[in-house]
Amino acid sequence: MEKDEEPQRRSIGARRNPETEKAILQAAHEVLQEAGYAGFSIEAVARRARAGKPTIYRWWPSKGVLLLAVYHLHKRAFTHHDTGDLEKDLLLFLSALFNYWHRTPYADFFRSILAEAQADEATSDAVADYARERCAQIAEVFERARRRGDLVPDAEPLVAAELVLSFAWTRLIQNRLEISDEELRSVVRSLVRGVLKSGAG
Amino acid sequence: MEKDEEPQRRSIGARRNPETEKAILQAAHEVLQEAGYAGFSIEAVARRARAGKPTIYRWWPSKGVLLLAVYHLHKRAFTHHDTGDLEKDLLLFLSALFNYWHRTPYADFFRSILAEAQADEATSDAVADYARERCAQIAEVFERARRRGDLVPDAEPLVAAELVLSFAWTRLIQNRLEISDEELRSVVRSLVRGVLKSGAG
C-alpha cells in the first residue's frame, strides 16, 4: 500500500508509522461511535487523532476506505470451524455471520461502506480487495475438504468461496438477515452438492 | 401495491391511474438523463410530469423506489435461453447480463439504487421485492431442467437462482464487471455441479 519515498520525506508521514496508524483508526472508531455515520468526517478524525488530514488521506484515500479499515479491525473475526464435514463447516460459518450482523450495529456499518463504494472508486477498490481476502479465507474451508479427498477433481475453492460470500452480502444489502437454519441448510446444500444429476446436461 | 380507498377519494389519486403513472415514470427517466443521479429529485419529476408530489410519494414512497421502477422499466429484459442444457442457459444469461452492465450506464444506475437502499428502508424493501422477482425468473431456467429430468430430486430452483443473482449483484457492487467466459464457466459449473464428490461429507 505504501509508496517508497525518498528518506527526507519520511518525517512528514509518507511511510506508515504503526503508532500513528493505530491512533487514527482508534480515533475513527470513536468518532463513528459518537457521531454516527452521518456525522463522520476525516476532519473530525484528524482533530481527535491530532494527525494531519494529508496523512490520513495518504493512507486511506477516502472516508469509505478508512471506514472499511475500522470495520475490518473491529468486526468479530470468524474462526472457520473444522468439523470434518464441509456442509457443517459452511453452515456454522454462515449462521454465525448472519447472527452477528443481525444482532450488532456492524451490519448497518458495513452497509454504509457498501453504499459509499457505489459512488467512490477508492472505496469500491478497497471493498473488492476486502472481498478477495474474505474469499481466500472461506476457500480454506473448501481446501480442507479437498485435502480430505471430499471434492471432485475440478472443484475450484475460490469460486465456491465467492458464491458463499456473494450469498451473504446480497442478503445484507437487501436487509434480509433473518434466515432460518433450514433455509441456510438449503443454500449450503445447493452450493456444495449442486443441482444437476451426475451425467445430466 | 395500491390500497383500496373509499370511492370518493379516488379522484385525488389514491388509485393508480395508468396514464399518470406512465407520465411520472417517463418524467423520472428524463430528469435522470438530464440531471443525472445527483440532480434527481421527486420535486423535479413532479414539475415535469405536472403531477403532485403527494401522488408520487403515495405510489413510490421514496426517491430510491421511484428510481428502481424506472430502472426496471428501461433496463433490457433478458430472455432466458432454452438450449436444453442448464449450464449453457445460465452461461448465456450471465454473460449477457455482465456485458450489458459493462457497456451501458445501467450498471451505475443500479449501483446508485443499491446505495440508496442502504440508507432508506422503503428502497431496501423494494430492492428485496425486485430480487425475489428476478430470482423467480431465473428459477424458471432450473425448473425447465427439472422437467427434462436433469435435476437431483432435492434440488431447489429458487435457492439455486438466488445464488446466481447473488454472484452477479456482488460483482456489480464491487465494480468487477469484466469477467472472462472461462471465469463465468467456472462459476456456473460450481453452481450446478457442486463441489462435493457424491457420497462425500
Side-chain angles (χ1 to χ4, degrees):
Chain A
M1 302 283 275
E2 69 187 344
K3 284 191 198 139
D4 275 316
E5 304 266 352
E6 62 278 22
Q8 67 269 31
R9 292 200 55 201
R10 280 187 195 166
S11 58
I12 64 159
R15 190 165 285 271
R16 282 200 195 204
N17 170 326
E19 283 304 305
T20 313
E21 181 174 354
K22 206 176 140 190
I24 291 168
L25 288 172
Q26 178 60 31
H29 190 234
E30 285 165 16
V31 169
L32 187 73
Q33 288 192 305
E34 283 168 23
Y37 188 78
F40 185 90
S41 69
I42 298 270
E43 184 126 20
V45 174
R47 239 189 339 262
R48 183 179 287 254
R50 297 168 193 236
K53 271 172 43 175
T55 303
I56 300 184
Y57 277 115
R58 195 174 300 120
W59 296 345
W60 300 279
S62 70
K63 179 177 137 173
V65 178
L66 178 57
L67 285 167
L68 182 59
V70 174
Y71 176 77
H72 191 27
L73 193 67
H74 288 272
K75 172 180 169 266
R76 186 184 135 193
F78 289 94
T79 327
H80 290 282
H81 296 265
D82 186 3
T83 64
D85 177 317
L86 178 61
E87 282 188 58
K88 267 192 207 139
D89 286 356
L90 291 174
L91 194 61
L92 287 169
F93 164 62
L94 280 175
S95 154
L97 177 64
F98 277 103
N99 266 318
Y100 174 75
W101 271 340
H102 194 50
R103 285 180 302 95
T104 71
Y106 284 88
D108 280 346
F109 183 12
F110 192 45
R111 291 178 70 195
S112 304
I113 294 165
L114 292 178
E116 195 79 14
Q118 307 318 306
D120 175 60
E121 212 179 309
T123 305
S124 133
D125 289 348
V127 164
D129 286 343
Y130 179 68
R132 286 192 191 92
E133 198 183 296
R134 303 293 303 129
C135 282
Q137 288 181 334
I138 300 169
E140 257 310 301
V141 180
F142 289 88
E143 290 292 357
R144 281 198 313 241
R146 187 201 292 284
R147 289 193 288 273
R148 286 193 304 265
D150 288 351
L151 300 196
V152 293
D154 61 353
E156 296 187 66
L158 264 179
V159 171
E162 184 175 351
L163 295 173
V164 174
L165 174 133
S166 298
F167 169 75
W169 286 24
T170 304
R171 282 292 177 108
L172 177 71
I173 62 172
Q174 296 173 71
N175 199 21
R176 289 168 63 195
L177 296 174
E178 270 186 284
I179 305 189
S180 68
D181 282 352
E182 200 192 329
E183 197 175 3
L184 270 189
R185 253 193 298 273
S186 300
V187 168
V188 170
R189 195 192 308 123
S190 186
L191 274 166
V192 304
R193 298 187 180 269
V195 294
L196 270 192
K197 270 185 196 161
S198 31
Chain B
M1 301 284 275
E2 70 187 343
K3 285 193 197 135
D4 275 316
E5 305 265 352
E6 60 280 20
Q8 66 270 30
R9 292 202 52 201
R10 280 187 195 166
S11 56
I12 62 157
R15 189 164 285 271
R16 282 201 195 201
N17 169 327
E19 283 304 304
T20 312
E21 180 174 354
K22 207 176 137 189
I24 291 168
L25 289 172
Q26 178 59 32
H29 190 234
E30 286 164 16
V31 168
L32 188 72
Q33 288 191 306
E34 285 168 24
Y37 188 78
F40 185 90
S41 70
I42 298 270
E43 185 128 18
V45 174
R47 240 189 339 263
R48 183 179 286 255
R50 296 168 195 238
K53 271 174 37 175
T55 303
I56 300 183
Y57 277 115
R58 195 175 299 119
W59 296 345
W60 299 279
S62 71
K63 181 177 136 172
V65 179
L66 178 56
L67 285 167
L68 181 59
V70 173
Y71 176 78
H72 191 26
L73 193 66
H74 288 271
K75 172 181 169 267
R76 183 182 138 196
F78 289 93
T79 327
H80 289 282
H81 296 266
D82 187 1
T83 63
D85 178 317
L86 177 62
E87 282 189 58
K88 269 193 204 136
D89 287 356
L90 291 173
L91 194 59
L92 288 168
F93 164 62
L94 280 175
S95 154
L97 176 64
F98 277 102
N99 267 318
Y100 175 75
W101 270 340
H102 195 50
R103 285 180 303 95
T104 72
Y106 284 87
D108 280 345
F109 183 11
F110 192 45
R111 291 179 69 196
S112 305
I113 293 166
L114 291 178
E116 194 80 15
Q118 306 319 307
D120 175 61
E121 211 180 309
T123 305
S124 133
D125 289 349
V127 164
D129 286 344
Y130 179 68
R132 285 191 191 93
E133 201 183 294
R134 304 291 305 129
C135 283
Q137 287 180 335
I138 300 169
E140 258 309 302
V141 180
F142 289 88
E143 289 291 358
R144 281 197 312 240
R146 189 203 291 284
R147 288 193 290 271
R148 286 194 301 266
D150 289 350
L151 300 196
V152 293
D154 62 352
E156 297 187 65
L158 264 179
V159 170
E162 183 173 353
L163 295 173
V164 174
L165 174 133
S166 299
F167 169 74
W169 286 24
T170 304
R171 282 292 177 109
L172 177 72
I173 62 171
Q174 296 173 72
N175 199 21
R176 290 168 63 195
L177 295 175
E178 270 186 284
I179 305 187
S180 68
D181 281 354
E182 201 192 330
E183 197 175 3
L184 270 188
R185 253 192 298 273
S186 300
V187 169
V188 170
R189 194 192 310 123
S190 187
L191 276 165
V192 305
R193 299 188 180 269
V195 293
L196 270 191
K197 271 186 195 159
S198 31

